Amino acid sequence: MPSHRPHDPFPGAAIADQVRQHGIHDPRLLDVLARLSREKFVPPDERRHALDDRAIPIGQEQTISQPFMVAVMTQELALSGTERVLEIGTGSGYQAAVLSELASEVFTIERLVTLSLRARAILDGLGRTNIRYLVGDGTLGWPAEAPFDRILVTAGAPGFPSALFNQLIEGGILVAPVGDEFSQELTIIQKQNGRPESRSIMGCRFVKLIGAEGWSNP
Ligand code: SAH
């Protein structure tokens, strides 16, 4: 092995290939995934698994989501590039990195300060200047910055996220895993004439959304 590796412009090529094989076709999204290094968002002792299509522990009992889930959720947001997006559950920052390339602004909320700061350091290092960070209970949204064109919840909610729905523009899309603590349905909610139109597209398993409109403290 040479001690110095030349810069690889496609560190996420294997991830893009895997999700493509599982039916993700959006070329912009695949390009973003191929250019992004998931390794950077994974703790050193888990790096050898960074390209596996599964969730990986990132400390504090939390995980970086499975790449396929990141791709499906992002695709469901149907981003054109002009949107202001709210993400609940910054976690590793990987999903925020993907969103920051496909939307105009990303607002991301994390309840655990250590994770928020770590994600921010990585994303600042990548030169992402269109991401804003908040530490707190994301189930209450970010009222000072509302409304949002899109909202993505990356932790499992026990029920319909009403405070978040209220912070969505008319015609906006909210994506959230909704269910019990062991399994959820990935639910796509669109605001139509002020009312939610929901459909669930697949089963999934996320860590718990903890907060006022989530699960109570662990
Ligand atoms: N989007 C992340 C995945 C994070 S896992 C990524 O790409 O890596 C879910 C995250 O949601 C965890 O970090 C957890 O601490 C956080 N979380 C749980 N409940 C929350 C709440 N009410 N508000 C904000 N973050 C929350």
Side-chain angles (χ1 to χ4, degrees):
M1 282 270 283
S3 58
H4 177 72
R5 254 192 314 168
H7 175 68
D8 175 4
F10 300 109
I15 288 188
D17 285 346
Q18 284 159 22
V19 305
R20 189 190 291 111
Q21 281 164 26
H22 287 97
I24 301 293
H25 294 303
D26 177 354
R28 282 177 72 221
L29 172 57
L30 291 169
D31 185 61
V32 166
L33 293 174
R35 289 176 188 279
L36 188 60
S37 164
R38 191 172 182 244
E39 272 191 1
K40 284 209 166 77
F41 296 86
V42 167
D45 55 334
E46 296 282 353
R47 291 236 158 106
R48 64 190 184 283
H49 303 301
L51 298 179
D52 297 357
D53 192 22
R54 62 175 176 85
I56 298 173
I58 55 170
Q60 303 211 268
E61 297 176 18
Q62 307 305 324
T63 56
I64 177 173
S65 307
Q66 180 194 1
F68 176 65
M69 269 299 152
V70 170
V72 169
M73 293 190 299
T74 307
Q75 188 164 265
E76 289 297 330
L77 291 176
L79 297 167
S80 69
T82 59
E83 295 83 3
R84 297 170 77 246
V85 183
L86 175 65
E87 180 196 21
I88 313 306
T90 312
S92 68
Y94 180 78
Q95 173 78 66
V98 173
L99 295 173
S100 75
E101 299 227 52
L102 296 165
S104 102
E105 275 183 286
V106 179
F107 298 81
T108 184
I109 311 180
E110 170 58 54
R111 61 181 283 273
L112 300 171
V113 63
T114 321
L115 293 182
S116 178
L117 291 173
R118 188 163 75 199
R120 183 176 187 149
I122 298 166
L123 292 161
D124 282 352
L126 292 175
R128 303 304 168 92
T129 52
N130 63 340
I131 307 178
R132 306 245 324 260
Y133 304 83
L134 185 67
V135 174
D137 178 5
T139 67
L140 301 174
W142 194 327
E145 292 293 345
F148 299 95
D149 302 298
R150 303 286 187 264
I151 300 179
L152 175 57
V153 183
T154 67
F160 181 82
S162 358
L164 294 176
F165 182 75
N166 291 338
Q167 292 178 27
L168 195 61
I169 63 155
E170 173 62 26
I173 302 170
L174 189 165
V175 173
V178 180
D180 62 33
E181 53 188 290
F182 305 108
S183 73
Q184 303 94 34
E185 285 290 328
L186 189 63
T187 309
I188 319 299
I189 302 166
Q190 191 157 23
K191 191 179 269 195
Q192 299 281 20
N193 304 316
R195 295 174 173 281
E197 269 187 13
S198 301
R199 62 195 165 89
S200 61
I201 57 166
M202 66 177 73
C204 54
R205 183 173 184 167
F206 282 80
V207 298
K208 280 198 275 185
L209 180 72
I210 295 168
E213 287 192 19
W215 300 91
S216 48
N217 250 10

